[in-house]
């Protein structure tokens, strides 16, 4: 690493500044919403030193490596947050043991990290707050039975603490749905930052339950904005996804090596949910490293009572339901599921028999044509196929804030902030140089103790 880089990292590794902590209802005046044109200097704690309370629900160890990288990032900034829970909420592979693997790497670097701040939690503390959540997706009703993870969410939310509990969802939203079902009294204490998109596809029933039964939940729903962390922005030279790992990550302590071992490139798709707390004012409508969001709109669910074709449209990232007539002779022992997008793996919609109709539900994760085919042991259903085109909402509809969800935000539909097809992603990618430089400084902490 060049000398000027070392100088920068030495200085940036110890930089801190102030940011406001949200404790109110989540509503801001128009003047507040438009006052800022860029994020505040990196901060994350208020002037009184109070840190955000954070609980992470993750599908780490599942089908994508990026949760491992995001967990490394989380631990590097653990002195700036009050981490209260680490919940394994996978669909398919991934267990609490995968969280513990990252904690093992953190333990190797802990001696150096704590010389920069006494607020880095001990590895023992992180292991204690690691919990196993749901091992499968919720059924159609959106909840099942309590898990160790869902109970921990309830316990943390019910603490006698005036500060909100910030729940960061990096995978399935099933444990949060279970917690809200079991303890609806916790809703006012929660501030949820949900990395949706693919995760919403995997846990659409739990999402549907939360949206319909808990509409006043405070939620940022990032379906595509998060992609700006690894798509677009300044990727020249050392700031490219692969070059950054080679120059600034690999060889930087056990955490850096663990990060690089997952993939020789930056992805970290869940990290914007953490970066949102590291600078800016923690107001969804104001810029920050974690993005800038707009109030969600109504009518995001589309219901079809027939098979569809590619000429039929539904909102991308919305909820799509097919309510098909129950064929004659279809009984309680029959089964049917809808295979989406010609995929061979994944939790696909299973038909729910509601008497006169069979209901299938899914969420299109990308703006494109989604083909489907029904697999069933009933001959009248088996092999039926169709398609639906997922497209953005009209500008007119997206500009009307929801009357049902007063504290719910999502991706900015303004084309000026689109990276390719990913709406809102430039609200993250435009800060790429800044947040990666800061991450490089943090990784440098793993190599040597601070000079006092």
């Amino acid at each position: 690493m060049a000398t000027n880089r070392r100088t920068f990292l030495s200085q940036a590794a110890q930089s801190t500044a102030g940011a406001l902590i949200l404790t109110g209802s989540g509503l801001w005046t128009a003047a507040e919403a438009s006052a800022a044109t860029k994020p505040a200097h990196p901060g994350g704690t208020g002037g009184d030193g109070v840190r955000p309370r954070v609980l992470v629900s993750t599908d780490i160890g599942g089908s994508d490596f990026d949760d491992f990288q995001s967990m490394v990032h989380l631990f590097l900034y653990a002195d700036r947050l009050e981490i209260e829970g680490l919940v394994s909420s996978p669909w398919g592979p991934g267990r609490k043991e995968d969280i513990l693997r990252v904690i093992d790497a953190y333990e190797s670097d802990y001696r150096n990290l704590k010389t920069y701040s006494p607020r880095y939690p001990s590895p023992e503390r992180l292991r204690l707050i690691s919990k196993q959540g749901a091992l499968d997706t919720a059924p159609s009703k959106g909840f099942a039975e309590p898990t160790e993870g869902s109970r921990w969410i309830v316990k943390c939310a019910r603490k006698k603490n005036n500060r909100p509990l910030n729940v960061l969802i990096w995978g399935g939203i099933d444990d949060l749905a279970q917690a809200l079902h079991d303890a609806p009294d916790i809703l006012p204490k929660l501030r949820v930052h949900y990395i949706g998109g693919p995760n919403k596809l995997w846990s659409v029933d739990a999402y549907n339950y939360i949206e319909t039964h808990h509409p006043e939940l405070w939620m940022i729903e990032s379906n595509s904005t998060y992609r700006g962390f690894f798509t677009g922005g300044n990727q020249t030279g050392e700031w490219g996804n692969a070059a950054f790992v080679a120059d600034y990550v690999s060889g930087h302590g056990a955490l850096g090596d663990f990060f690089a071992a997952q993939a020789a490139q930056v992805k970290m798709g869940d990290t914007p949910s953490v970066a949102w707390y590291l600078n800016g004012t923690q107001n969804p409508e104001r810029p920050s490293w974690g993005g800038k969001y707009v109030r969600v709109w109504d009518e995001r669910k589309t219901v079809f009572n027939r098979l569809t074709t590619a000429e039929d449209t539904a909102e991308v990232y919305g909820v799509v339901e097919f309510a098909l007539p129950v064929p004659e002779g279809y009984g309680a022992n029959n089964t049917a599921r809808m295979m989406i997008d010609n995929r061979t793996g994944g939790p696909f919609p299973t038909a729910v028999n509601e008497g006169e109709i069979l209901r299938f539900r899914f969420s299109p994760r990308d703006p494109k044509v989604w083909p489907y085919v029904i697999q069933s042991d009933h001959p009248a259903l088996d092999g039926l196929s169709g398609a639906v085109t997922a497209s953005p909402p009209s500008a007119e509809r997206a500009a009307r804030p929801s009357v049902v969800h007063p504290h719910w935000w999502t991706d900015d539909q303004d084309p000026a902030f689109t990276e390719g097809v990913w709406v809102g992603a430039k609200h993250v990618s435009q800060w790429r140089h800044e947040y990666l430089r800061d991450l490089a400084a943090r990784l440098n902490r793993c190599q040597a103790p601070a000079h006092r």
Side-chain angles (χ1 to χ4, degrees):
M1 184 181 293
T3 302
N4 61 336
R5 293 186 195 172
R6 290 196 189 98
T7 301
F8 163 75
L9 294 178
S10 177
Q11 294 170 344
Q14 301 183 52
S15 66
T16 58
L20 299 177
I21 301 300
L22 175 63
T23 59
S25 65
L27 298 178
W28 293 271
T29 66
E32 288 173 324
S34 62
T37 58
K38 62 181 180 178
H41 189 273
T45 60
D48 57 1
V50 176
R51 294 172 293 163
R53 301 172 61 210
V54 168
L55 182 149
V56 173
S57 175
T58 172
D59 60 354
I60 191 169
S63 60
D64 202 341
F65 62 83
D66 71 325
D67 286 56
F68 282 115
Q69 294 185 344
S70 290
M71 189 69 70
V72 168
H73 176 277
L74 174 71
F75 289 166
L76 289 169
Y77 288 88
D79 61 322
R80 298 271 293 279
L81 307 165
E82 190 172 331
I83 302 175
E84 296 196 7
L86 302 166
V87 177
S88 169
S89 300
W91 163 74
R95 295 293 184 268
K96 183 179 79 170
E97 285 69 28
D98 292 300
I99 298 174
L100 300 180
R101 289 172 57 197
V102 193
I103 296 174
D104 289 344
Y106 173 82
E107 184 170 36
S108 297
D109 294 335
Y110 178 61
R111 177 178 298 179
N112 287 336
L113 290 171
K114 68 180 180 179
T115 66
Y116 290 86
S117 171
R119 286 184 164 182
Y120 277 104
S122 70
E124 292 77 14
R125 168 64 181 168
L126 293 176
R127 293 187 180 102
L128 183 66
I129 62 174
S130 297
K131 308 295 178 181
Q132 183 60 58
L135 299 179
D136 206 349
T137 56
S140 179
K141 62 184 179 180
F143 57 89
E145 298 296 327
T147 67
E148 181 185 42
S150 70
R151 291 190 182 98
W152 190 251
I153 294 173
V154 173
K155 183 175 181 178
C156 291
R158 284 179 170 170
K159 286 182 180 179
K160 293 182 178 180
N161 194 316
N162 292 330
R163 290 175 291 147
L165 177 67
N166 300 283
V167 181
L168 315 186
I169 307 293
W170 296 359
I173 202 167
D174 308 89
D175 280 300
L176 177 63
Q178 188 69 49
L180 284 167
H181 171 266
D182 297 340
D185 60 285
I186 69 174
L187 185 147
K189 292 293 292 291
L190 301 181
R191 302 290 184 267
V192 179
H193 197 133
Y194 176 39
I195 303 297
N199 292 327
K200 191 172 176 182
L201 172 64
W202 306 140
S203 55
V204 62
D205 292 309
Y207 173 89
N208 184 70
Y209 166 77
I210 292 173
E211 184 186 32
T212 56
H213 289 79
H214 303 281
E216 298 218 349
L217 180 66
W218 195 105
M219 167 97 88
I220 293 175
E221 179 183 328
S222 177
N223 293 309
S224 56
T225 299
Y226 73 89
R227 291 181 181 268
F229 206 90
F230 55 91
T231 301
N234 176 13
Q235 297 206 27
T236 60
E238 63 198 299
W239 306 111
N241 285 332
F244 181 81
V245 173
D247 288 356
Y248 292 111
V249 181
S250 182
H252 287 67
L255 284 172
D257 286 341
F258 185 90
F259 182 113
Q262 308 312 308
Q265 60 181 318
V266 169
K267 188 173 182 184
M268 302 168 68
D270 300 295
T271 294
S273 66
V274 177
W276 193 75
Y277 296 93
L278 301 180
N279 81 333
T281 61
Q282 294 166 34
N283 176 335
E285 298 175 22
R286 300 179 72 171
S288 81
W289 289 351
K292 177 178 177 290
Y293 301 89
V294 299
R295 284 279 306 284
V296 77
W297 48 93
D298 290 325
E299 302 173 8
R300 295 187 299 152
K301 179 185 290 187
T302 305
V303 180
F304 296 104
N305 57 10
R306 55 179 172 80
L307 296 176
T308 56
T309 72
E311 300 299 315
D312 293 294
T313 61
E315 185 172 319
V316 64
Y317 314 123
V319 175
V320 180
E321 291 185 356
F322 295 89
L324 306 180
V326 175
E328 184 177 353
Y330 189 95
N333 294 326
N334 289 112
T335 61
R337 66 174 182 165
M338 185 173 282
M339 308 295 291
I340 303 292
D341 201 28
N342 300 317
R343 295 172 65 93
T344 57
F348 296 108
T350 300
V352 177
N353 192 338
E354 298 181 356
E356 296 184 356
I357 65 171
L358 295 176
R359 189 176 303 277
F360 302 86
R361 182 182 294 132
F362 93 106
S363 178
R365 53 171 281 179
D366 304 317
K368 67 174 188 176
V369 176
W370 289 82
Y372 59 83
V373 61
I374 296 176
Q375 292 184 349
S376 176
D377 55 6
H378 192 286
L381 290 173
D382 191 46
L384 294 179
S385 63
V388 64
T389 298
S391 58
S394 68
E396 179 184 5
R397 186 158 60 87
R400 295 196 302 266
S402 172
V403 297
V404 178
H405 301 95
H407 316 305
W408 201 301
W409 292 264
T410 192
D411 310 297
D412 184 358
Q413 303 295 299
D414 187 342
F417 292 97
T418 297
E419 291 279 11
V421 300
W422 309 120
V423 295
K426 281 187 179 176
H427 281 305
V428 172
S429 66
Q430 64 182 322
W431 311 114
R432 179 181 176 88
H433 190 206
E434 286 80 359
Y435 58 65
L436 286 185
R437 283 200 312 171
D438 203 66
L439 173 58
R442 288 275 160 164
L443 282 158
N444 205 44
R445 293 182 171 191
C446 298
Q447 292 182 299
H451 296 293
R452 300 299 186 189

